[in-house]
Amino acid sequence: RWPAVVVQPTRIEHVKAALFTSRTLRMRLSVRNGGHNPIGLALVPGGIVLDLSKHRDVMISRSASGAPVADVAGGALWDDVYRTLHLTG
């Protein structure tokens, strides 16, 4: 039940390389985010796991109309979102 490789990307090029490798070698790919999964459903036996758990950024900006917009990275937890919202009002 273990993946062949776990990729923890630090740059977009790493994500692209994992996708390219998965496609080229016909390996299954799964994405693991910051959430918890005690039974390991984010794992692909013999495949590639793209682990986004270190990508927890949350940024608040304003749309053209002035409405707040949250940009949430793939590994962010709800606690990260709530903390950012609290700090930005």
Side-chain angles (χ1 to χ4, degrees):
R1 179 135 181 99
W2 298 104
V5 65
V6 175
V7 177
Q8 292 182 311
T10 57
R11 300 191 323 251
I12 190 66
E13 291 80 15
H14 298 154
V15 174
K16 290 178 182 178
L19 293 172
F20 177 80
T21 301
S22 171
R23 221 179 5 246
T24 302
L25 299 178
R26 297 184 178 181
M27 294 176 76
R28 293 180 61 207
L29 181 131
S30 68
V31 178
R32 178 170 54 191
N33 63 11
H36 301 284
N37 191 325
I39 59 174
L41 293 178
L43 302 178
V44 177
I48 298 173
V49 173
L50 190 56
D51 181 358
L52 300 179
S53 63
K54 295 186 183 212
H55 298 275
R56 296 175 59 177
D57 295 334
V58 178
M59 300 177 60
I60 307 297
S61 60
R62 297 277 173 185
S63 69
S65 67
V69 176
D71 183 13
V72 182
L77 302 174
W78 279 113
D79 184 56
D80 302 317
V81 176
Y82 294 144
R83 186 179 316 112
T84 302
L85 291 174
H86 177 73
L87 292 173
T88 59

